[in-house]
Amino acid sequence: MHQTFDAALEINLLHANQAGADHNRAHFDEWGITCLNIMSSPGAGKTVLLERTLAALNNQLKIAVIEGDMTTELDADRLRQYNVPVIAINTGRSCHLDSKMVAGGIHQFAHQYNPSDFDLVLVENVGNLVCPAEFEVGEHAKVALLSITEGEDKPLKYPVMFQQADCLLITKMDLAPHLDIDVNRMIANVRQMNPDCTIIPISAKTRQGLETWFDWLHFQINQTSTTPHQLTLV
């Protein structure tokens, strides 16, 4: 059976992207940095999650952000208020970050700072439920967000994102009493796609689940970091 031209091109693109992602990850490993790829549809709460995370952990960890957006630096400017390095990447018409784009951000970061001083790099991907999951950027783990306002069926309709996620945050849980939605069914649909995914219901407004999210972050850092500059975390 012969592949179509489009299928062969996609395989080649993903292969080239993976090589770049491996190169990026090697840099992070060399520096002792844990990198997380934060993905979701537009409006699910990625930026506010990063705001809450930076506000809570900036005194415990040295954190940098690579912020992907199609045209603006609006989200990057929001995060810069927390006095952390924020490298903005505008993707133009591209609906995702790829490893080459992130490599440019990494080189800019390394030129301006000493990367070995940092513990964590958070990559906020472009808002999209499809493409970001297919293009690794050098992350150690993928984090997906799913707002309860998006409905129970999204894990079934957009399976790749949820199959790839190491952690899923179900966001905007403070709205649950006002919506006709079965959160347990949503979780069951995620489990159907990915039985091993860590699932944490959260609310940035009420802080529900945020401490559990912070604990998961600490665990990831302890799992991937090997250099002596790393903080001892609980």
Side-chain angles (χ1 to χ4, degrees), residues 142-198:
K142 293 180 173 68
V143 178
L145 279 64
L146 176 63
S147 166
I148 62 167
T149 60
E150 295 177 76
E152 303 153 359
D153 59 352
K154 291 302 181 291
L156 304 179
K157 295 177 67 174
Y158 301 93
V160 176
M161 175 70 71
F162 302 96
Q163 289 166 348
Q164 295 289 325
D166 298 287
C167 178
L168 173 70
L169 304 178
I170 300 178
T171 64
K172 305 185 183 181
M173 285 297 297
D174 53 287
L175 297 178
H178 310 289
L179 299 173
D180 182 16
I181 188 167
D182 186 339
V183 176
N184 289 329
R185 177 171 291 182
M186 177 182 281
I187 292 172
N189 288 341
V190 174
R191 292 283 182 227
Q192 185 177 335
M193 296 296 102
N194 185 348
D196 300 321
C197 180
T198 298

Side-chain angles (χ1 to χ4, degrees), residues 6-227:
D6 289 344
L9 179 61
E10 182 179 8
I11 290 173
N12 289 336
L13 286 173
L14 291 175
H15 180 76
N17 183 80
Q18 186 60 55
D22 293 341
H23 183 76
N24 291 346
R25 191 179 300 109
H27 278 303
F28 290 131
D29 289 341
E30 177 186 359
W31 296 326
I33 293 175
T34 300
C35 177
L36 301 179
N37 188 359
I38 314 295
M39 305 176 293
S40 79
S41 62
K46 295 186 300 299
T47 306
V48 72
L49 172 73
L50 265 59
E51 287 180 316
R52 299 294 183 268
T53 301
L54 295 175
L57 301 183
N58 206 18
N59 291 330
Q60 304 174 32
L61 300 169
K62 192 77 169 178
I63 304 172
V65 177
I66 295 177
E67 177 63 44
D69 211 335
M70 294 184 73
T71 58
T72 74
E73 293 193 16
L74 294 174
D75 290 344
D77 288 340
R78 284 172 58 181
L79 299 178
R80 289 182 178 123
Q81 298 180 47
Y82 294 87
N83 297 316
V84 301
V86 180
I87 308 299
I89 300 175
N90 286 140
T91 64
R93 297 179 66 178
S94 180
C95 59
H96 62 276
L97 291 172
D98 61 25
S99 61
K100 186 176 181 180
M101 296 175 192
V102 171
I106 291 171
H107 292 154
Q108 183 179 344
F109 170 61
H111 179 73
Q112 297 179 13
Y113 304 93
N114 180 2
S116 296
D117 290 340
F118 286 78
D119 305 295
L120 179 65
V121 168
L122 298 170
V123 177
E124 182 176 355
N125 220 308
V126 179
N128 189 299
L129 266 183
V130 182
C131 301
E134 295 188 302
F135 288 81
E136 292 200 7
V137 298
E139 69 272 20
H140 294 95
K142 293 180 173 68
V143 178
L145 279 64
L146 176 63
S147 166
I148 62 167
T149 60
E150 295 177 76
E152 303 153 359
D153 59 352
K154 291 302 181 291
L156 304 179
K157 295 177 67 174
Y158 301 93
V160 176
M161 175 70 71
F162 302 96
Q163 289 166 348
Q164 295 289 325
D166 298 287
C167 178
L168 173 70
L169 304 178
I170 300 178
T171 64
K172 305 185 183 181
M173 285 297 297
D174 53 287
L175 297 178
H178 310 289
L179 299 173
D180 182 16
I181 188 167
D182 186 339
V183 176
N184 289 329
R185 177 171 291 182
M186 177 182 281
I187 292 172
N189 288 341
V190 174
R191 292 283 182 227
Q192 185 177 335
M193 296 296 102
N194 185 348
D196 300 321
C197 180
T198 298
I199 300 176
I200 308 173
I202 69 168
S203 167
K205 183 176 182 179
T206 68
R207 299 189 59 84
Q208 173 188 347
L210 288 183
E211 292 300 328
T212 304
W213 157 244
F214 299 152
D215 289 343
W216 187 88
L217 277 179
H218 286 314
F219 178 78
Q220 294 302 311
I221 293 170
N222 285 335
Q223 286 289 101
T224 59
S225 300
T226 58
T227 53

